[in-house]
């Protein structure tokens, strides 16, 4: 229980001038408290997320109602990762709220109040930053609200602030045996000045942080009352589906919509920039109308190559000098002088995000057609609001976003161009803003719609001396940049190099005496996007499998070999040791057909190591067990952390074993889950997650569990069979007869 700080000034009559700031909130018995960084200088510490110096300024992160409910305003999208629970936990602990009274609601689009402190003056969710950027912000919001409640009670009871305690939503003055619930004090507290530097709790005083508090969304998602974007129904709402070109870059050459307009329920057929939209009274009618369209496509500027041709071009490109992402010393001389030289190629296909809920959004015009309400799983609110406003020809204040629960995203809902928001707005505009329109992408639309994880090629060459020490390392990466040509290019791309292409490789924590990392930017016409863990999805596989190969060539245990290269990376070393210990690495038995493999990687400021136990041979790989160790700083909710690592294993496993998006003459071949099969329950291994104790500010866990899975499995397959499977998905045919 918190012992309140001694007040710096006497408690005084609430100042009437503060009522103007709080407006109707004070009259309703609510507190609006929050903090933000100055947009001119958001903190971006090199190591990640030290935002403890964030200046205090009133915002709207907590609302305490007369019925004692505490509503935490969540500025991030929750797409299943549980950040609503984590963010509410942070604030509620500092507030000393009763968890049973805590609720959440999504914030409106307002970058001035709700910007992501690690992205700059942009409201958005991504890069596993939700907890990290909000840690001090929400602690200060909760602590300030608590101090205001205490000050209000002290004034009413005419007692010193220092004698008042707060616990589970109740403010008490033990000497006079008086107490009040939060709701009874909210209206009075709302009129007080917001403390600029409230005292934060010592970790020993936390009651909720670090414990398994129940997730706030579980009941609603279980009983079906949670409202997702697909559930939205507005008065007079119409449904739209769009006929997109079969090849990326194609445009409509001619259209015959006679049969489509004759379909019962079809209201309109519209040509829009991305294709042809069919607007109908319901989804079925819209889909049947689309089937009846007769469209001739102009493929003159389309991407018409197959996946194999694109990869072959990458191989030729890799032979030429590339842009230098990082370098040290003379790696060529080191390789030339080496006792052994190891070379490897790694290739990675396009990957779809394949979230459970396909893309969709509803836009409702106001009666006068001059302002609009948007209902969707909004992930980059600032971009989405601006794009909708631009398409509809209004200012951003005329576009109100209503963020809904999202059934997954894995990056897809956060396009820098807000593509499907723009598409929905284009339909509303073309239809004359006469009715709310719900744009729905079918599963096939979603799978074939592009914005994939890029296809990437890695070529690696390194030398080791007679003792196994690395003498030189040459590494070439070829892949289409996600950021070049996007609104974020100026922020992320330096000297032609997209940081998301080389992250996890060119900034490797391994102590390499001489190295050179080069990159080539692919130019194919397939739209690409970040996919859960972005560049780390391929760099971790290349780095961790290749280091394993070097360890084997040196005749050194793979864990010991890694540790010898990680002297300057204590947190990564620690999770590596922990995972190996919990997996029984030292006592493992070397049996043909069964093996353990290890991988360790840092991403998004978090450290993860995994040991995979597999059975492999005769063209098959069975993953039996995954032992993971993670360091994410303070574990706000250990249960959610474990769930995210378990979920990362389930999510990534299918991409390790089989999944890919392929093009045949430019046409996507995998359009549903029959050809792009998610992980089956029968395939899911036992997953053990061990969390490193820490008092460092928390980092993220939504993505960091993904990169290490593939290399751990690849290395385990080698231990089981002696066959190296480098590229993803794993080439099972190489195991026939093994």
């Amino acid at each position: 229980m918190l012992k309140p700080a001694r007040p710096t000034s006497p408690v005084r009559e609430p100042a009437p001038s503060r009522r103007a700031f709080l407006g109707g909130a004070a009259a309703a018995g609510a507190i609006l408290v929050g903090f933000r960084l100055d947009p001119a200088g958001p903190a971006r510490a090199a190591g990640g997320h030290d935002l403890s110096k964030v200046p205090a300024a009133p915002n709207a992160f907590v609302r305490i109602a007369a019925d004692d409910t505490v509503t935490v305003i969540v500025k991030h999208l929750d797409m299943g990762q549980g950040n609503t629970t984590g963010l509410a936990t942070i604030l509620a602990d500092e507030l000393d709220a009763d968890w049973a009274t805590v609720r959440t609601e999504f914030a409106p689009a307002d970058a001035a109040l709700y910007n992501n402190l690690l992205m700059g003056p942009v409201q958005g969710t991504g890069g596993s930053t939700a907890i990290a950027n909000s840690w001090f912000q929400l602690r200060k919001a909760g602590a300030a609200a608590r101090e205001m409640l205490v000050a209000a009670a002290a004034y009413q009871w005419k007692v010193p602030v220092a004698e008042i305690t707060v616990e589970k939503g109740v403010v008490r003055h033990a000497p006079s045996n008086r107490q009040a619930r939060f709701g009874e004090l909210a209206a009075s507290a709302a009129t007080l000045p917001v403390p600029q530097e409230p005292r934060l709790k010592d970790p020993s005083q936390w009651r909720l942080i670090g414990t398994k508090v129940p997730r706030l969304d579980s009941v609603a998602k279980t009983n079906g009352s949670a409202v997702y974007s697909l559930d939205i129904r507005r008065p007079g709402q119409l449904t739209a589906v769009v006929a997109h070109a079969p090849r990326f870059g194609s445009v409509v050459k001619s259209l015959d919509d006679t049969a489509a307009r004759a379909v019962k329920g079809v209201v309109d057929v519209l040509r829009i920039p991305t294709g042809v939209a069919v607007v109908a009274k319901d989804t079925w009618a819209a889909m049947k109308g689309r089937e009846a369209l007769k469209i001739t496509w102009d493929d003159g500027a389309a991407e018409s190559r197959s996946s194999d041709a694109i990869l072959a071009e990458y191989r030729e490109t890799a032979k030429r000098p590339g842009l230098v992402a990082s370098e040290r010393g003379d790696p060529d001389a080191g390789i030339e002088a080496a006792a052994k030289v190891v070379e490897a190629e790694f290739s990675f296909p396009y990957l779809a995000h394949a979230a459970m809920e396909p893309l969709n959004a509803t836009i409702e015009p106001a009666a006068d057609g001059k302002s609009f309400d948007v209902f969707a799983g909004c992930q980059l609110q600032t971009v989405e609001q601006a794009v909708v406003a631009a398409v509809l020809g209004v200012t951003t204040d005329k576009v109100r976003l209503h963020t809904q629960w999202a059934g997954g995203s894995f990056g897809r809902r956060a396009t820098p161009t807000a593509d499907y928001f723009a598409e929905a707005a284009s339909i509303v505009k073309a239809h004359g803003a006469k009715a709310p329109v719900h744009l729905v992408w079918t599963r096939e639309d979603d799978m074939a719609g592009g914005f994939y994880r890029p296809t990437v090629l890695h070529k690696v060459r390194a030398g080791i001396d007679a003792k196994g020490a690395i003498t030189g390392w040459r590494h070439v990466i070829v892949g289409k940049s996600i950021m070049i040509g996007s609104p974020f290019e100026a922020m992320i791309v330096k000297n032609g190099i997209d940081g998301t292409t080389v992250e996890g490789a060119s900034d490797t924590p391994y102590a390499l005496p001489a190295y050179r990392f080069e990159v080539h930017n692919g130019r194919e016409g397939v739209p690409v996007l970040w996919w859960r863990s972005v560049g780390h999805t391929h760099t971790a596989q290349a780095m961790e499998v290749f280091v394993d190969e070097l360890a084997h060539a040196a005749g050194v245990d793979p864990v010991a070999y890694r540790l010898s290269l990680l002297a300057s990376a204590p947190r990564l070393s620690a999770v590596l040791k922990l995972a190996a210990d919990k997996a029984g690495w030292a006592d493992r038995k070397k049996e043909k057909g069964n093996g353990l493999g290890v991988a360790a990687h840092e991403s998004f400021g978090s450290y993860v190591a995994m040991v995979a136990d597999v059975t492999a041979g005769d063209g098959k790989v069975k993953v039996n067990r995954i032992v993971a160790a993670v360091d994410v700083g303070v574990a706000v909710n250990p249960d959610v952390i474990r769930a995210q690592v378990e979920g990362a294993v389930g999510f990534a496993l299918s991409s390790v074993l089989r999944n890919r998006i392929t093009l045949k003459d430019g046409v996507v071949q995998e359009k549903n889950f029959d050809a792009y099969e998610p992980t089956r329950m029968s395939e899911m291994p036992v997953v053990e997650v061990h969390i490193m104790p820490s008092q460092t500010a928390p980092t993220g866990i939504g993505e960091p569990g993904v990169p290490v899975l593939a290399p751990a499995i690849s290395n385990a397959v080698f231990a089981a069979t002696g066959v190296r499977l480098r590229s993803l998905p794993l080439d099972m045919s190489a195991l026939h007869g093994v």
Side-chain angles (χ1 to χ4, degrees):
M1 183 168 59
L2 178 71
K3 295 181 179 179
R6 186 177 301 278
T8 56
S9 60
V11 177
R12 59 184 182 273
E13 180 72 18
S17 61
R18 290 287 171 178
R19 295 182 183 272
F21 167 73
L22 290 160
I31 300 177
L32 300 179
V33 181
F35 299 85
R36 67 179 173 89
L37 286 175
D38 181 347
R44 292 188 185 89
H49 321 304
D50 181 12
L51 299 171
S52 60
K53 304 303 181 184
V54 55
N59 270 331
F61 283 102
V62 57
R63 185 170 64 245
I64 302 174
D67 66 356
D68 297 328
T69 55
V70 174
T71 301
V72 179
I73 312 302
V74 175
K75 66 182 182 180
H76 295 281
L77 173 65
D78 192 323
M79 44 206 127
Q81 76 273 42
N83 65 18
T84 45
T85 296
L87 296 168
T89 299
I90 296 168
L91 190 146
D93 204 325
E94 289 288 351
L95 180 60
D96 271 313
D98 181 350
W99 188 249
T101 69
V102 176
R103 310 286 186 268
T104 62
E105 68 179 47
F106 294 116
D110 186 343
L113 291 177
Y114 300 118
N115 63 301
N116 186 312
L117 305 182
L118 294 167
M119 291 182 179
V122 174
Q123 184 178 351
T125 306
S128 298
T129 59
I131 298 295
N133 91 96
S134 300
W135 172 245
F136 287 107
Q137 184 178 55
L138 292 183
R139 289 182 70 192
K140 286 187 173 182
R146 171 176 40 80
E147 289 188 6
M148 293 165 73
L149 290 164
V150 168
Y155 172 76
Q156 290 182 15
W157 299 335
K158 308 303 183 197
V159 299
V161 165
E163 293 181 1
I164 294 178
T165 59
V166 185
E167 184 178 18
K168 295 189 71 171
V170 178
V171 181
R172 291 187 176 89
H173 182 246
S176 64
N177 198 30
R178 278 181 288 191
Q179 67 178 43
R181 302 186 315 275
F182 281 1
E184 296 175 293
L185 296 168
S188 177
T191 64
L192 295 174
V194 177
Q196 295 301 295
E197 289 297 333
R199 198 190 77 170
L200 303 181
K201 286 185 178 182
D202 182 83
S204 64
Q205 298 171 305
W206 291 338
R207 292 187 307 103
L208 302 174
I209 295 171
T211 69
K212 181 183 176 181
V213 298
R215 279 183 59 154
L216 296 173
D217 55 344
S218 295
V219 173
K221 289 181 176 179
T222 302
N223 65 23
S225 62
V227 176
Y228 288 80
S229 183
L230 269 174
D231 298 323
I232 293 296
R233 299 292 183 271
R234 305 300 298 168
Q237 176 177 304
L238 300 174
T239 300
V241 298
V242 177
H244 299 113
R247 292 180 175 85
F248 300 112
S250 296
V251 294
V252 176
K253 184 176 183 179
S254 65
L255 168 68
D256 181 352
D257 61 9
T258 306
R261 290 182 181 275
V263 172
K264 184 179 180 180
V266 170
V267 174
D268 207 350
V269 178
L270 306 164
R271 291 183 64 158
I272 60 173
T274 54
V276 180
V278 177
V279 182
K281 293 180 179 179
D282 55 57
T283 308
W284 180 253
M287 292 169 63
K288 298 304 289 183
R290 182 172 64 175
E291 290 175 10
L293 291 172
K294 296 178 181 178
I295 305 174
T296 302
W297 298 96
D298 181 351
D299 294 334
E303 175 58 75
S304 59
R305 291 176 295 173
S306 296
S307 298
D308 289 345
I310 293 173
L311 187 59
E313 181 180 298
Y314 278 16
R315 289 193 174 102
E316 290 302 310
T317 300
K319 296 175 183 178
R320 303 192 295 269
L323 301 171
V324 178
S326 66
E327 64 180 338
R328 172 191 288 172
D330 189 343
D332 292 329
I335 294 171
E336 183 69 24
K340 290 183 181 179
V341 176
V342 180
E343 296 182 83
E345 177 185 286
F346 301 81
S347 63
F348 303 85
Y350 297 112
L351 290 175
H353 301 78
M356 182 179 294
E357 180 190 18
L359 298 175
N360 71 103
T362 299
I363 301 181
E364 180 177 21
D368 60 3
K370 296 181 179 179
S371 65
F372 302 85
D373 288 277
V374 181
F375 302 84
C378 304
Q379 190 169 348
L380 278 179
Q381 288 92 338
T382 302
V383 176
E384 293 151 2
Q385 184 183 44
V387 166
V388 170
V391 172
L392 293 172
V394 297
T395 54
T396 55
D397 62 301
K398 299 299 183 182
V399 176
R400 295 171 294 274
L401 297 191
H402 305 270
T403 298
Q404 308 297 311
W405 294 106
S409 171
F410 316 118
R412 181 59 183 93
R413 299 183 197 278
T415 52
T417 57
D419 66 307
Y420 69 100
F421 285 85
E423 186 169 83
S426 296
I427 297 168
V428 170
K429 181 178 181 179
H431 190 58
K434 293 181 290 189
V437 175
H438 188 183
L439 168 67
V440 175
W441 283 34
T442 64
R443 176 62 60 196
E444 289 78 9
D445 296 331
D446 200 78
M447 295 282 289
F451 294 95
Y452 303 125
R453 194 283 304 273
T455 191
V456 186
L457 178 77
H458 287 246
K459 300 279 285 187
V460 194
R461 187 168 186 259
I464 58 174
D465 64 19
K467 295 182 179 180
I470 297 172
T471 58
W473 182 298
R474 287 292 305 267
H475 196 136
V476 178
I477 304 173
V478 186
K480 186 175 181 180
S481 165
I482 295 169
M483 294 296 183
I484 291 177
S486 82
F488 301 125
E489 180 174 354
M491 185 192 323
I492 303 296
V493 179
K494 304 298 180 186
N495 300 317
I497 298 171
D498 183 343
T500 68
T501 300
V502 298
E503 61 185 358
S506 66
D507 55 352
T508 178
Y510 289 124
L512 307 178
Y515 58 82
R516 184 181 178 94
F517 288 87
E518 298 179 8
V519 64
H520 296 270
N521 295 313
R523 297 293 181 183
E524 73 271 17
V526 180
V528 297
L529 187 64
W530 35 63
W531 186 88
R532 190 174 180 180
S533 75
V534 201
H536 300 281
T537 63
H538 52 88
T539 59
Q541 170 73 358
M543 295 297 296
E544 285 302 291
V545 172
F546 196 72
V547 167
D548 218 70
E549 295 196 50
L550 295 180
H552 179 72
V556 179
D557 175 84
V559 171
Y561 195 78
R562 285 173 170 80
L563 291 173
S564 71
L565 298 171
L566 292 173
S568 298
R571 295 178 72 180
L572 191 58
S573 295
V575 294
L576 174 58
K577 292 175 184 176
L578 180 59
D581 178 62
K582 296 296 184 181
W585 181 269
D587 300 323
R588 69 192 187 283
K589 297 179 181 179
K590 296 184 179 180
E591 299 177 2
K592 185 176 181 180
N594 185 262
L596 297 186
V598 67
H601 193 73
E602 176 193 352
S603 59
F604 309 99
S606 297
Y607 305 83
V608 181
M610 284 185 182
V611 174
D613 177 337
V614 310
T615 300
D618 196 24
K620 298 178 182 178
V621 172
K622 171 66 175 175
V623 183
N624 307 309
R625 179 182 178 223
I626 297 292
V627 178
V630 303
D631 180 349
V632 294
V634 173
V636 173
N637 189 317
D639 190 55
V640 172
I641 291 170
R642 292 189 180 93
Q644 279 300 292
V645 177
E646 293 164 356
V649 171
F651 172 83
L653 184 57
S654 59
S655 69
V656 176
L657 298 181
R658 58 178 164 270
N659 279 345
R660 66 175 78 218
I661 291 291
T662 54
L663 304 180
K664 183 178 180 181
D665 299 327
V667 179
V668 174
Q669 300 301 294
E670 298 81 8
K671 297 183 180 179
N672 212 315
F673 289 136
D674 58 335
Y676 196 90
E677 187 180 352
T679 300
R680 298 285 185 176
M681 290 294 289
S682 59
E683 298 173 307
M684 190 66 187
V686 174
V687 181
E688 301 172 21
V689 183
H690 303 276
I691 303 171
M692 293 288 294
S694 177
Q695 291 193 1
T696 302
T699 48
I701 193 57
E703 296 168 276
V706 169
V708 284
L709 181 72
I713 293 173
S714 297
N715 294 334
V717 170
F718 175 76
T721 65
V723 177
R724 280 285 177 197
L725 302 183
R726 301 180 182 91
S727 297
L728 296 179
L730 301 180
D731 180 8
M732 302 300 181
S733 66
L735 299 178
H736 283 299
V738 175

